[in-house]
Amino acid sequence: MTATPTMTEVPVLQLRYPESELGQGGGASVVEQKPRITAEELAALDAGRITQADLARSKGVSRATISRWTRKTPGAPVPYRTQLAPFWPWKVTTSHQRAAAYMRAFDHLRVRISGAELDDERTSKLIAWYRAIRANGEVLAYDPDAPPTAWRVKHGGFEYLEREPADKDLLIRVPDPEWWTEERRAAWKLPKDLPEG
């Protein structure tokens, strides 16, 4: 037989009744809530200094919860993956997402589209990637069936192809030429001026 909780054991919620709704006879109540994400955390997300996964770990919630909170927070930044989706041409398998080529291409888009600031190590790797593509006269392509290469693409999928006149100054090649728009071409241009080093 279970014991019935006494009045002192029942949790009490503080309710707030919006005056506008009471005046109109709506009477809807809302549970008073503190802001879940601070302005500083939103700014860090927007600048790319932290990820939703970082914030989720610090608050002890799931990444999906952080995503939901940011969508419901006025002035919250659009998650960078949402911003980049229209500019990403491939459906990359999970195993190929560990490839350096995937990470460099993704970092390139983050910088070009969302204005993210990468840390020194990732910036250095991205610049080295640009230089290699330029020096070797290549473009990056993706084919889930492409085999690994021992020294450059150990997970397969991504491949570096010889640059052709149709590639112009683009970093990548996609199977469907109709995919390209003016905005996508601007996003995927190989930078002309690279820092010395």
Side-chain angles (χ1 to χ4, degrees):
M1 184 165 158
T2 59
T4 304
T6 65
M7 286 303 287
T8 56
E9 294 172 337
V10 177
V12 177
L13 294 176
Q14 295 296 320
L15 300 180
R16 173 172 57 84
Y17 295 92
E19 286 182 22
S20 59
E21 291 184 276
L22 283 176
Q24 296 170 5
S29 64
V30 180
V31 176
E32 192 77 59
Q33 294 180 344
K34 294 180 181 177
R36 294 170 169 161
I37 299 179
T38 66
E40 292 80 15
E41 289 166 338
L42 285 176
L45 278 172
D46 195 27
R49 292 191 303 272
I50 61 171
T51 64
Q52 287 188 356
D54 295 332
L55 195 54
R57 280 191 292 275
S58 72
K59 293 188 175 286
V61 297
S62 70
R63 200 178 85 188
T65 298
I66 294 294
S67 180
R68 188 175 66 252
W69 287 353
T70 55
R71 283 196 308 270
K72 293 181 178 180
T73 304
V78 176
Y80 70 84
R81 286 187 182 272
T82 303
Q83 291 177 353
L84 305 188
F87 298 91
W88 189 257
W90 307 299
K91 290 187 179 180
V92 179
T93 65
T94 304
S95 62
H96 295 152
Q97 290 177 17
R98 296 192 302 264
Y102 173 87
M103 291 184 273
R104 299 298 81 79
F106 206 84
D107 281 347
H108 165 80
L109 270 191
R110 285 189 68 196
V111 171
R112 287 300 284 266
I113 303 302
S114 64
E117 293 181 21
L118 305 177
D119 62 36
D120 291 344
E121 181 182 357
R122 287 170 74 177
T123 299
S124 176
K125 287 180 178 180
L126 184 59
I127 291 169
W129 185 65
Y130 292 146
R131 287 192 177 124
I133 285 178
R134 179 182 288 167
N136 297 327
E138 300 168 325
V139 290
L140 180 68
Y142 179 71
D143 175 356
D145 298 324
T149 57
W151 66 279
R152 201 153 182 209
V153 187
K154 66 179 181 178
H155 298 289
F158 287 96
E159 52 189 349
Y160 291 93
L161 306 175
E162 187 175 342
R163 184 175 292 277
E164 297 175 356
D167 296 316
K168 298 184 180 177
D169 56 354
L170 297 172
L171 280 164
I172 64 169
R173 184 183 298 162
V174 298
D176 180 10
E178 297 296 317
W179 180 82
W180 290 107
T181 63
E182 190 176 325
E183 293 81 12
R184 288 171 174 166
R185 284 186 183 279
W188 282 108
K189 278 186 178 180
L190 177 64
K192 290 181 180 177
D193 301 316
L194 297 176
E196 296 297 324

